[in-house]
Amino acid sequence: MLSRRQAFSAAALLAWACFAAPDSAAGQTRAGGAVLRIGYLGLLPDRRMPNTFLDPPPQDEGVQGARLGIADNATTGRFTGQEFVLEERLLRDAEAVEPAFRELLAEGIRFVLADLPAPLLLQMADLPEAREVMLLNLGAPEDALRNESCRRNLLHLLPSRGMLADALAQFLASKRWRNLMLAVGPQPGDQLYAEAIRRAARKFGLRIVADKPWTYNPGARRTDTGHLSIAAEAARFTQGAPAYDILVVADEAGDWGDDLAYRTSDPRPVAGTQGMVSTSWARPHEQWGATQLQRRFRARAGRWMLPRDYAAWLGTRALGEAATRARSTDPEAVARQLRDPGFEIAGFKGVPLSFRDWDGQLRQPVLLADARSLVSVSPQPGFQHQFSELDTLGTDRPESRCQFR
Amino acid sequence: MSIPLTPLSCAAALALALLLPQPAAAETILVSNEKDNSITVIDGASLQVMRTVPVGQRPRGIALSRDGKQLYICVGDDDRLDVLDLETWRVTRHLPSGSDPELLAVHPDGRRIFVANEDDNLVTVVDAQQGAVITEIPVGVEPEGMGMSPDGRLLVNTSETTNMAHVIDTETHDVIANVLVGARPRAAVWQKDGARVWVSSEIGGTVSVIEAGRWEVTGTIEFRIPGVPREAVQPVGMVFSTDGTRVFVALGPANRVAVVDARTLQVQRYLLVGQRVWNLALSPDGQRVYSTNGVSNDLSVIDVEQERVVRSIPVGRLPWGVVVRP
């Protein structure tokens, strides 16, 4: 008997073999082929004084990944008679997001890559005219979006904070570094990241022996002798803590997390949002053909690929792959393909990636890396799962609080 | 004159016998080491490493010249082919290849070399005598596998991100067909009779069997190994047995080579080899299959008759391609 996966591939290939004229439902190109138009809606982050001038935050993070994905899709499209067009809306003003979104929809666009904060993302998803639209989330790691605030028209290309925390916790458990000290920044994202770390610790049998807010604002660090005050502060912060194996920092903006390593009272490694980071993409990653993607991206963008770029590339590629497999650029056919349980995409992480049907999250391995080396990739060997080991990261089906509406 | 049978002469005779290559395996095995920028040369009779030859940067795909006197090497980070003379063991020439060459196929005419340019979405055709590029053929994203049909009329190129096998007419250089296969296709290998071409899909975890002429997938092979997660099964290199009845398929991080019945497409056996097995080569006498194991940095020797792994030979870092010179 054919498995669903087999049946799906067989059907897709059969359809392909027939080689009928490309469908015309989604409009004609100049060449007469089919077009899939993809929207990109991005709210640019505020320009702020960066913690370091080594890696200034680029103003095109995300959209460069989408542009590369479009180019990759176009190469495939040459052979399939499909064309892919990116409609970019990069905005500085949150107020401008909704009008821009409506404009994209008015142009007939049904797939929108969205790099928006969670509240804005939900606001777009809940618009009446967005019912038949699919939003591909590139920038909001909130676990709530995959649980109580989930939406049927949202797919999440980036890992949730829970997935990042679970990836780190699995690594620490397999190293038997069971005692954690947690340093939590003041931002709302930092609080959520810390909460994810606490949940992951419970899930994988780790102990948080100290859990402290980081309140010191090291604004004067760049002045002469500024290093002395930050070193003294880090030493004070960690002095007298119960015996711990590793210091986990929650500082998503990168304001102070890099200033703790080598300055703690006890010699302890740092991980979390700084030090050894848990991330979907990292510069040192070169396995499973990732070198090719890194090179392709650098040649085009003139800088290294960042996690948001990777999410955007994945989203664009997923749409391209769905159109190829569906042999159609008709939005309904593409959406059906994306939702098919057998739908998989390759993402340079050695395993096929697919969407969880219970919350729309893309299953994916999570990298653990520092600035210059890939330390590990989670899920760690030994963390088994009856369906997919990738589901040991983040909210699994049984504990999901997502009820689509 | 008779030679008295002393212990000394016995030992000498024995040593001599051991040193003499057995005619059945008087072959040379050549392995490219991606991270070491070298080619490891192994004597097929003794299975000893004879020498390690430095070549250009990031050597991956390798192929013998038609006369067997030279080895063409894709040195990706140098954007060229190195030509290694197999008598003097020196790189005697460089050939243009286009950007980032990964794999290559030598046309039966011995003159034309077809090269997959991984970061340029091209297949470059090179004239080996003139040392010049003849033409470039646009294909899908990340071109990889290069399967030359036995008669040299057709070349099947796979593109890893486009997920297609592109069929190229080697005379007109036109792409005459595109066949959608499983995710991240790697190798394309023709049956000796030219009736079908087999394409492995690393991330899809399958092998697609494509009927030539119709250019349709007529069979798909899946691999299920007890105790090995499905995601770890990543088919890459393939090689046919001499009689064409069996296909050996390297399964990457599953650390196994599958033995597949070429007629029924059923997997008969899984052979445990080194870690992350990628490419395979058959010895000219058909008795052995050699596999490059990229993580354990060794070469496994498989006895074809017994379907058993009989030896592991340490080579350089990240061994990638393997060919056997008769």
Side-chain angles (χ1 to χ4, degrees):
Chain A
M1 208 184 100
L2 287 177
S3 70
R4 187 150 50 172
R5 187 175 136 79
Q6 280 173 314
F8 156 67
S9 347
L13 289 168
L14 207 69
W16 187 261
C18 297
F19 223 86
D23 72 294
S24 54
Q28 301 288 317
T29 55
R30 293 168 300 279
V35 188
L36 184 66
R37 296 173 70 219
I38 301 168
Y40 187 100
L41 191 59
L43 180 63
L44 298 173
D46 294 337
R47 282 214 178 88
R48 344 175 284 133
M49 171 91 159
N51 185 26
T52 161
F53 285 123
L54 289 180
D55 301 298
Q59 288 300 301
D60 53 4
E61 183 179 353
V63 72
Q64 286 285 9
R67 289 175 191 160
L68 178 62
I70 290 286
D72 285 355
N73 287 351
T75 308
T76 305
R78 278 209 312 262
F79 303 106
T80 58
Q82 294 176 335
E83 197 182 316
F84 299 87
V85 177
L86 191 67
E87 289 290 342
E88 297 176 14
R89 299 288 186 278
L90 300 173
L91 310 160
R92 292 220 162 270
D93 176 10
E95 296 291 313
V97 169
E98 189 177 316
F101 182 58
R102 287 180 191 274
E103 196 181 290
L104 288 173
L105 302 193
E107 289 175 22
I109 287 173
R110 289 291 167 267
F111 299 98
V112 178
L113 302 161
D115 179 13
L116 301 173
L120 256 181
L121 184 65
L122 282 178
Q123 191 188 317
M124 297 309 112
D126 290 342
L127 288 176
E129 55 265 60
R131 282 185 69 85
E132 302 304 319
V133 173
M134 198 173 274
L135 282 152
L136 292 90
N137 173 19
L138 313 177
E142 275 74 5
D143 286 283
L145 289 175
R146 285 83 169 162
N147 283 287
E148 56 275 11
S149 307
C150 72
R151 296 291 187 274
R152 190 179 295 282
N153 56 357
L154 275 183
L155 290 176
H156 309 282
L157 278 305
L158 83 166
S160 65
R161 289 193 179 93
M163 291 167 73
L164 298 179
D166 287 349
L168 175 60
Q170 280 192 7
F171 172 80
L172 298 178
S174 61
K175 292 289 287 179
R176 300 187 193 289
W177 296 354
R178 295 195 181 280
N179 298 310
L180 277 53
M181 177 170 184
L182 186 57
V184 187
Q187 305 300 327
D190 301 340
Q191 306 285 329
L192 291 170
Y193 188 90
E195 196 42 48
I197 293 285
R198 293 180 195 114
R199 277 199 311 272
R202 281 196 294 276
K203 190 163 156 184
F204 295 105
L206 310 174
R207 276 182 301 273
I208 297 178
V209 295
D211 191 334
K212 291 174 71 173
W214 177 269
T215 51
Y216 180 70
N217 183 1
R221 132 191 67 201
R222 280 237 189 79
T223 60
D224 295 341
T225 72
H227 67 283
L228 292 174
S229 57
I230 183 75
E233 186 58 31
R236 257 197 304 280
F237 186 81
T238 51
Q239 211 158 35
Y244 65 100
D245 298 313
I246 187 164
L247 176 61
V248 177
V249 293
D251 169 29
E252 291 192 337
D255 286 333
W256 49 272
D258 279 314
D259 296 333
L260 293 180
Y262 313 109
R263 300 158 180 95
T264 50
S265 316
D266 298 312
R268 294 290 177 269
V270 174
T273 52
Q274 280 77 29
M276 185 186 73
V277 299
S278 172
T279 181
S280 61
W281 196 254
R283 293 196 300 189
H285 177 42
E286 58 176 25
Q287 295 180 26
W288 303 299
T291 308
Q292 303 315 319
L293 186 61
Q294 302 268 30
R295 285 184 182 191
R296 252 197 338 270
F297 185 88
R298 286 188 70 191
R300 170 173 288 269
R303 60 172 177 82
W304 284 91
M305 186 177 233
L306 294 166
R308 217 162 285 224
D309 299 309
Y310 179 65
W313 179 83
L314 276 178
T316 320
R317 274 295 301 134
L319 291 167
E321 184 71 12
T324 310
R325 299 277 165 192
R327 286 207 63 260
S328 170
T329 51
D330 171 43
E332 267 181 48
V334 172
R336 232 185 352 263
Q337 194 64 244
L338 277 180
R339 298 268 191 211
D340 188 287
F343 180 74
E344 292 177 337
I345 54 172
F348 298 93
K349 288 187 179 171
V351 298
L353 315 180
S354 55
F355 291 102
R356 291 175 180 154
D357 60 4
W358 61 89
D359 62 2
Q361 170 69 50
L362 187 73
R363 291 183 183 92
Q364 56 193 300
V366 171
L367 312 177
L368 296 161
D370 66 14
R372 298 188 67 88
S373 73
L374 181 76
V375 180
S376 190
V377 182
S378 286
Q380 296 294 319
F383 290 91
Q384 303 204 333
H385 191 278
Q386 57 175 351
F387 178 63
S388 163
E389 282 164 23
L390 293 175
D391 287 341
T392 61
L393 305 178
T395 314
D396 199 359
R397 186 192 302 273
E399 64 252 22
S400 173
R401 294 185 304 282
C402 170
Q403 287 184 321
F404 284 127
R405 63 180 171 100
Chain B
M1 193 182 100
S2 69
I3 299 167
L5 231 61
T6 66
L8 190 69
S9 63
C10 273
L14 197 65
L16 201 65
L18 284 173
L19 281 173
L20 281 176
Q22 291 146 350
E27 61 208 30
T28 309
I29 306 146
L30 302 152
V31 177
S32 61
N33 302 306
E34 183 180 351
K35 283 243 164 163
D36 271 358
N37 302 338
S38 64
I39 300 289
T40 300
V41 183
I42 299 165
D43 173 47
S46 63
L47 294 178
Q48 298 291 317
V49 173
M50 304 309 285
R51 64 181 81 230
T52 303
V53 186
V55 294
Q57 299 179 72
R58 201 175 182 207
R60 287 185 285 172
I62 50 178
L64 287 172
S65 63
R66 223 60 206 175
D67 61 11
K69 291 179 176 165
Q70 292 170 323
L71 184 72
Y72 299 120
I73 306 160
C74 293
V75 282
D77 282 0
D78 285 328
D79 299 324
R80 63 170 197 238
L81 303 183
D82 279 359
V83 183
L84 179 67
D85 184 291
L86 301 182
E87 292 298 324
T88 63
W89 300 109
R90 285 182 190 284
V91 173
T92 52
R93 284 175 78 197
H94 305 307
L95 293 175
S97 65
S99 167
D100 195 13
E102 179 168 10
L103 260 169
L104 75 175
V106 181
H107 192 271
D109 68 13
R111 197 172 60 87
R112 283 177 294 163
I113 303 174
F114 291 73
V115 185
N117 300 119
E118 188 168 30
D119 68 3
D120 235 4
N121 310 339
L122 293 173
V123 167
T124 298
V125 189
V126 183
D127 185 318
Q129 284 163 13
Q130 307 280 333
V133 170
I134 299 172
T135 191
E136 292 173 337
I137 307 164
V139 292
V141 183
E142 287 180 59
E144 163 112 8
M146 300 289 276
M148 184 68 69
S149 66
D151 61 7
R153 271 197 329 108
L154 298 169
L155 174 82
V156 171
N157 159 253
T158 63
S159 48
E160 290 176 293
T161 293
T162 293
N163 301 330
M164 279 184 185
H166 307 285
V167 186
I168 296 167
D169 184 314
T170 56
E171 289 308 316
T172 65
H173 301 135
D174 290 331
V175 175
I176 61 164
N178 301 288
V179 187
L180 191 65
V181 294
R184 209 165 171 81
R186 298 288 302 260
V189 177
W190 286 79
Q191 289 181 189
K192 215 184 276 175
D193 62 7
R196 299 191 293 183
V197 59
W198 294 45
V199 173
S200 57
S201 291
E202 183 184 5
I203 293 296
T206 57
V207 171
S208 304
V209 183
I210 299 169
E211 191 177 319
R214 282 169 63 202
W215 306 119
E216 287 174 22
V217 175
T218 53
T220 303
I221 303 160
E222 298 204 9
F223 305 88
R224 288 197 187 76
I225 313 172
V228 175
R230 188 182 72 83
E231 289 91 351
V233 175
Q234 300 179 1
V236 181
M238 294 180 289
V239 72
F240 279 90
S241 64
T242 308
D243 62 7
T245 59
R246 280 176 292 173
V247 187
F248 294 83
V249 183
L251 298 180
N255 306 336
R256 281 161 177 83
V257 170
V259 186
V260 178
D261 184 313
R263 199 177 50 81
T264 65
L265 307 186
Q266 296 299 310
V267 181
Q268 297 175 325
R269 189 177 282 196
Y270 294 103
L271 310 173
L272 193 62
V273 292
Q275 291 174 312
R276 207 220 60 192
V277 52
W278 262 4
N279 284 299
L280 304 175
L282 185 74
S283 64
D285 64 7
Q287 298 294 307
R288 291 171 177 167
V289 166
Y290 301 104
S291 78
T292 51
N293 311 318
V295 170
S296 48
N297 297 333
D298 63 341
L299 181 90
S300 294
V301 182
I302 298 167
D303 184 308
V304 168
E305 197 55 47
Q306 301 179 50
E307 295 187 351
R308 232 162 47 83
V309 178
V310 292
R311 189 81 77 88
S312 156
I313 306 160
V315 291
R317 284 184 303 162
L318 209 58
W320 203 95
V322 54
V323 300
V324 187
R325 184 201 185 195

